[in-house]
Each structure stands twice: as structure tokens, then as C-alpha cells.
Amino acid sequence: MANLLVTGGAGFIGGNFVRYWAERHPGDGLTVLDSLTYAGNPATIAGIAQAELVIGDIRDTALVEKLLRERDIGTIVHFAAESHVDRSIAGPDAFVETNVVGTHSLLKAARAVWLEQGGGRDHWFHHISTDEVFGSLGEGAPPFSEASPYAPNSPYSASKAAADHLVRAYHNTYGLAVTTSNCSNNYGPYQHPEKLIPLFLLNALHGIALPIYGDGMNVRDWLHVEDHCRAIELCLERGIVGETYPIGGGAELPNMAVIDALCDAVDSAFATDPELAERFPDAPAAQGRATAELKSFVADRAGHDRRYAIDSARARTDLGYAPQYDFVAGLTQSVRWYLANEDWWRPLWRD
């Protein structure tokens, strides 16, 4: 039996990880530390008997030390982060506080309990980061890898880059056993409606415009959240201490292609389920029209990176990782989940 501390475990990726881990490791103890900001939702992990939610801030070093010590926790999986680029542009302070100061607080607590007081007991600190720390790729440029130089372009990505460097420094300076994974764009169940796929889906259901930044041709590598959880599990089981693992979904697509696929998925869902027209009468699909009619173009976001792509070769070689979802199957599954779980997203929805 192992005891894990999952920070941000009531959020989107963290909550999916808690569900994933509980199903596959039923004997392990899961302590979820989450401050329950707007992006944290206890409903995401409701019903998981082995997961205990502790409402608290990762910047509270004394609290983290207490949890590690009293619960005999030997693994930290660190998801907790402010993660929305638009919010970081409007208010960068929260991103520095959570992503930089918060990560440092966790590292200090881990060092104190595991190394200074615990004599170097078996331990693992896994830090979840983003491909955005590497900046923007030009068309035809090779994908990001663990060797890519850091070049963050937004307050969000800059704060995550700083956190990455702190994790690396605590390994090289103090000997803390760490791994880092830099993931591409996640999608799937339990994602907050501020993100592109759930936002555009819920807009479509309510007949609200789909606001497309710039020309809609910004490219992202799309990673289903379950594939990401599987990769993190592999990092914990097979990862090499001190290494960084870029994790991609193998689905490099322009935003416009993602939006068109989403519109098609909504139209298809309404065509096969007549009850959807009764539940969402304002949707174009409820009136026999194409969801794509809602597409509209808006001014581009400041500092909007043009392209991200991930080379997951190290994860394939060291960990045996390979994504199991192709994008169409993953998107279809995600749309079905949101349609079947209105009780989860409705309290978060602001039309």
C-alpha cells in the first residue's frame, strides 16, 4: 500500500487522475489537497472512498509537512496550478503565487519531511507542467522535446517554467527524487467550461456564438486526459529520477479543425437523440440547422503562441507510453460525457 498526496486533485486533470488511480490501485491512500478555487470542484471526486479531500493551500508549508508526516505519504503528484492563459494576462499575480510560490512551498515541505527528518526515506515528487514553457513553434519546426529551450510567452507559461526550474534545482541541489512531465492540451470529462472544448460545446447547446481567436489556425497537440493519467502512472512506476518526460496525444490540429469536429459531433448527437432538442431548444441543431453557424471570429489573444507540438519519444522509450485515444474517438466520448452529466457542469455554467 502506498500513500499519495495529490495537489489540485479536485481540478480537471488532478480529479481525473484521482479517479484513474483509485480504480487501478484500490489499496492506496489518496489525500487530495485543494484550495477549491473556481476550478476546484468536490463533485469531480465524489464517491471515491479512498480519497480524502483536505481543503487547504499548497503555500501552507506547515500544513503540507503535517500531512506528509502524519499520513506517512511518500509520493506527491503535483497538479495544483492556475492554468488559464487569458486569466494570467488579466491578473498575473495569482499565477506567480500559486505556480511559483506554491510549488516552492511543496518542495520545502518534501525536503524537510523526507530528507531532513526522514533520512532520505523512499519518496517521489512528480511535477505536472505544460508544453507552453517552450514557447511557440514555427510551421515545419520539429516538435518540442525534453531538450527544447525554455521560451515562455505568457505570465502563465512563465510561472510554470519557474516551477519547473525549482523542481529541477531541488533534485540537483538537495537530492530530492523528482520527475517532471510537460503535457500538451488536455481535454475530456470534468474540464471546466472556461476551456475551449467544453466552452464551445456548452455555447453550442445554448445557441451562443463560438468566438474564434484570430484566424483559427493556431495549432495544438490534443491529449485525452485519460492518456495523460496513464502517462503519469508510468512516470511514477518506471520514470528515471531527475528526468523530464514530454507527454503528447499525437493529434496536432489547428483550432479550426477542432471546432469543426466539435460542431459535427454536436450535430450528430442531436440527430441520433431527439430528446436533446427538448433539453437544449436554443441549439441550432435542435432546429435542424448546423452548429457551425455559430462560428465567429474575434481579435486574437495577446501573446497567442502559434503552434505547439510534442515529441513523446523519451516517454515511449523509458516508460512504454503511447496514447490510446485518437482525437475523434476522444472528442466523441467527451461530448457524450457532458451531455450525460449536466448536473456536474450546470452549476459552473455562466451563459
Side-chain angles (χ1 to χ4, degrees), residues 267 270 277 281 283-291 293:
D267 291 344
F270 274 76
Q287 303 156 23
R289 298 172 13 235
T291 300
E293 293 179 7

Side-chain angles (χ1 to χ4, degrees), residues 17 28 35 43 86 105 165 226 231 259 264 272 321 333 336 343:
F17 176 80
D28 288 356
S35 60
D86 286 355
S105 170
H165 293 320
E226 185 176 319
I259 294 162
D264 290 344
T272 56
Y321 165 76
Q333 181 252 23
R336 289 174 178 167
D343 58 337

Side-chain angles (χ1 to χ4, degrees), residues 22-40:
E23 180 180 341
R24 288 158 180 80
H25 305 269
D28 288 356
L30 292 164
T31 298
V32 174
L33 178 61
D34 201 300
S35 60
L36 297 184
T37 63
Y38 76 96

Side-chain angles (χ1 to χ4, degrees), residues 315-336:
R316 289 196 304 271
T317 301
D318 287 4
L319 310 177
Y321 165 76
Q324 296 184 11
Y325 281 88
D326 65 54
F327 182 73
V328 173
L331 181 66
T332 301
Q333 181 252 23
S334 301
V335 169
R336 289 174 178 167

Side-chain angles (χ1 to χ4, degrees), residues 6-29:
V6 183
T7 71
F12 165 45
I13 307 176
N16 273 280
F17 176 80
V18 169
R19 289 184 168 276
Y20 179 94
W21 195 271
E23 180 180 341
R24 288 158 180 80
H25 305 269
D28 288 356

Side-chain angles (χ1 to χ4, degrees), residues 37 139 196 200 202 223 236 239 261 291:
T37 63
E139 185 177 353
L196 189 148
F200 277 37
L202 301 187
L223 171 65
L236 295 175
T291 300

Side-chain angles (χ1 to χ4, degrees), residues 43-57:
T44 298
I45 56 173
I48 304 175
Q50 72 204 74
E52 181 181 351
L53 174 62
V54 176
I55 301 173
D57 197 314

